[in-house]
Structures are given as structure tokens and as C-alpha cells.
Amino acid sequence: MGLICVFLFGAQWLMGFLSFWHRGEARTIRVRILPWHVFLGLYTYGLAVVTAETGLLEKLTFLQTKGNVLKHSTESMVVNCLGIGLALLCGIVILAAVSPKHQTSLAAKIIHSK
């Protein structure tokens, strides 16, 4: 999952860099690509959060299996709170990104980009 996340991030960064570096593209093409850019960005962000959550769970499971950490120890509570906090932060970021308050119509974007 981590490698897929890094690959998606690199591919999106490269395509965005090349798209906005090349001035020959029409603004309408950029406006049409924007929803896909937002979708892939949020997908990559969500995948990164899922990868981090999986890593936290894996580390805690291995420590508990070896008997180094008890199920209800302070370290277990810290890892669980970190996981819950990370999941809540991910939800807030995605909600803020897709909130209709910050979205404008396609026609307004084309008019303002000329």
C-alpha cells in the first residue's frame, strides 16, 4: 500500500507540474481535469492515512504478541488515541476538501481563468 501511495503521489505531482508548466494547454482543459486532480489527491491522501493506520496496528500487534506490551498499557492507549486522531483528522480534511462552500461552477471557473 505504501508503494502504491508513493507512486500515485509522484505521478500526480509530475502530471500537475507538466500540465501547469506547459502554457500551450487551454484553460478549459485544466478546468476539466480539476475534478480528477481533486479525486486522485484525496484518494492518495486517504491511502496514506490507511497505510499509516495499518502500520500502527501492525507494530502494536507484534509488540503485544511478543509480550513486550500489555493490552491495556499506556503505550497501547497512546497508539490507539493516535490512530483515532489520525482517522478523525483524515475525515475533517476530506470534508473540508469536498465541502460545497468552496466550490464554484464550471462556467465561473472558465470566465475567471481567461
Side-chain angles (χ1 to χ4, degrees), residues 3-16:
L3 288 175
I4 293 171
C5 183
V6 170
F7 173 75
L8 284 174
F9 173 77
Q12 183 170 12
W13 186 87
L14 183 65
M15 293 305 293

Side-chain angles (χ1 to χ4, degrees), residues 31-80:
V31 170
R32 279 190 278 155
I33 292 174
L34 183 63
W36 288 104
H37 173 73
V38 170
F39 168 73
L40 285 176
L42 290 175
Y43 182 78
T44 304
Y45 176 70
L47 186 62
V49 170
V50 167
T51 303
E53 294 277 357
T54 304
L56 287 171
L57 179 64
E58 181 182 11
K59 181 67 175 175
L60 189 61
T61 302
F62 286 151
L63 287 175
Q64 287 178 350
T65 301
K66 292 180 182 179
N68 296 342
V69 175
L70 299 175
K71 283 190 174 184
H72 300 290
S73 68
T74 306
E75 187 173 357
S76 296
M77 294 298 183
V78 168
V79 172
N80 286 333

